[in-house]
């Protein structure tokens, strides 16, 4: 069965304290892995797509990496405005639906 | 920046009533989706829609659910006879294509509460 698991469920960081969020997946025929940010009461906002093991993408303080079994979202020197829930989703071959994980709720304190 | 617009933002309905959730996708997008998120749970795929027909649906999307694009701008999700377990946040999303590197654009959602 296809599964996407994110850890930790929640993460509290001091401003400037770098860390990583994990997304592990068991999916047959992976087309791509997506990272989204979700603010309270809002829809997911697209961050990155990764397609193959070894691929990396960066945007401001965020960097996403992909291996054959998992993806990491590294956050460097976070700021309070980075506080949000970060969602990982996978897309399989021959389907356009996204399979989401439960997310990591990140809180960054000044 | 173009947005996907959903109305209403919050709807309360009695069990057994019909509800219609409305979405205005981004104007040049051709692929449309509904997802839902029960409080504290994962975002779940419901249905994808392209060229005026359903292209894929999940096991959640049973005969109680239907989708329609009644005109050139709106995309609706109808739940015929709501149940308590239909209470969730419903997200509409749209895209210019199904397998694009920049994902879909999601709306802000409609919170449906069935009482």
């Amino acid at each position: 069965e296809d599964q996407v698991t994110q850890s930790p469920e929640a993460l509290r960081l001091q401003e400037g304290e770098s860390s990583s969020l994990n997304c592990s997946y068991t999916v047959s025929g992976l087309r791509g892995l997506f990272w989204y940010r979700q603010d309270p009461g809002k829809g997911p906002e697209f961050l990155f797509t990764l397609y193959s093991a070894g691929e990396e993408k960066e945007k401001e303080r965020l960097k996403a990496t992909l291996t054959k079994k998992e993806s990491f979202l590294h956050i460097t020197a976070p700021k309070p405005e980075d506080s949000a829930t970060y969602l990982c989703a996978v897309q399989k071959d021959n389907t356009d639906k996204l399979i989401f994980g439960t997310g990591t709720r990140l809180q960054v304190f000044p | 920046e173009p947005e996907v617009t959903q109305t209403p933002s919050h709807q309360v309905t009695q069990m057994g009533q019909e509800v219609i959730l409305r979405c205005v996708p981004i104007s040049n997008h051709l692929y449309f989706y509904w997802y839902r998120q029960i409080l504290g749970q994962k975002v779940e795929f419901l249905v994808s829609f392209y060229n005026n027909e359903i292209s894929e649906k999940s096991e959640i999307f049973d005969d109680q659910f239907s989708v329609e694009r009644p005109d050139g701008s709106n995309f609706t999700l109808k739940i015929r006879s709501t149940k308590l377990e239909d209470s969730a946040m419903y997200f509409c999303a749209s895209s210019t294509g199904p397998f694009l590197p920049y994902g879909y654009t999601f709306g802000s959602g409609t919170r449906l509460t069935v009482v």
Side-chain angles (χ1 to χ4, degrees):
Chain A
E1 187 188 340
D2 301 323
Q3 266 199 319
V4 180
T5 304
Q6 292 187 246
S7 61
E9 285 186 16
L11 183 61
R12 292 164 57 101
L13 297 175
Q14 201 73 31
E15 185 172 2
E17 180 187 0
S18 302
S19 189
S20 296
L21 283 55
N22 176 263
C23 171
S24 62
Y25 60 92
T26 50
V27 170
S28 55
L30 179 75
R31 173 181 290 274
L33 184 141
F34 295 75
W35 282 98
Y36 283 86
R37 169 189 171 127
Q38 186 176 28
D39 292 299
K42 301 288 187 185
E45 177 187 344
F46 173 75
L47 292 173
F48 304 109
T49 307
L50 301 163
Y51 287 107
S52 54
E55 190 175 359
E56 297 184 355
K57 294 273 179 73
E58 281 190 69
K59 180 180 178 180
E60 296 180 356
R61 294 176 292 283
L62 299 176
K63 183 168 84 171
T65 62
L66 182 65
T67 72
K68 286 187 178 178
K69 293 184 179 180
E70 59 190 349
S71 176
F72 291 94
L73 184 66
H74 307 278
I75 181 160
T76 303
K79 298 182 178 181
E81 54 261 42
D82 295 321
S83 298
T85 296
Y86 290 86
L87 302 174
C88 169
V90 298
Q91 186 180 56
K92 297 175 59 172
D93 287 333
N94 301 318
T95 173
D96 58 355
K97 76 176 184 184
L98 298 177
I99 303 169
F100 281 88
T102 47
T104 293
R105 190 172 65 255
L106 174 66
Q107 291 179 291
V108 182
F109 295 91
Chain B
E1 189 172 329
E3 287 185 342
V4 174
T5 305
Q6 290 189 243
T7 55
S9 57
H10 189 189
Q11 179 147 6
V12 181
T13 189
Q14 295 231 324
M15 192 168 54
Q17 295 296 304
E18 174 183 288
V19 294
I20 297 176
L21 309 183
R22 302 180 192 278
C23 169
V24 179
I26 294 172
S27 61
N28 65 334
H29 286 189
L30 301 175
Y31 292 78
F32 313 110
Y33 309 88
W34 284 101
Y35 284 76
R36 80 173 185 188
Q37 186 175 30
I38 295 171
L39 189 64
Q41 297 187 24
K42 299 181 181 184
V43 176
E44 301 174 289
F45 170 78
L46 292 178
V47 66
S48 57
F49 189 86
Y50 169 69
N51 200 25
N52 274 320
E53 60 183 29
I54 291 173
S55 47
E56 190 174 356
K57 61 182 180 179
S58 72
E59 56 275 8
I60 303 168
F61 195 89
D62 61 21
D63 292 344
Q64 293 299 311
F65 291 88
S66 62
V67 289
E68 193 178 33
R69 187 154 163 81
D71 53 42
S73 60
N74 291 283
F75 180 51
T76 61
L77 174 69
K78 183 194 291 186
I79 309 174
R80 265 181 263 286
S81 178
T82 50
K83 304 170 190 166
L84 294 176
E85 53 264 37
D86 294 327
S87 294
M89 195 77 160
Y90 287 81
F91 294 108
C92 174
S94 69
S95 173
T96 53
F99 305 123
L100 296 174
Y102 42 83
Y104 315 139
T105 303
F106 283 84
S108 289
T110 293
R111 181 173 302 283
L112 177 66
T113 303
V114 182
V115 297

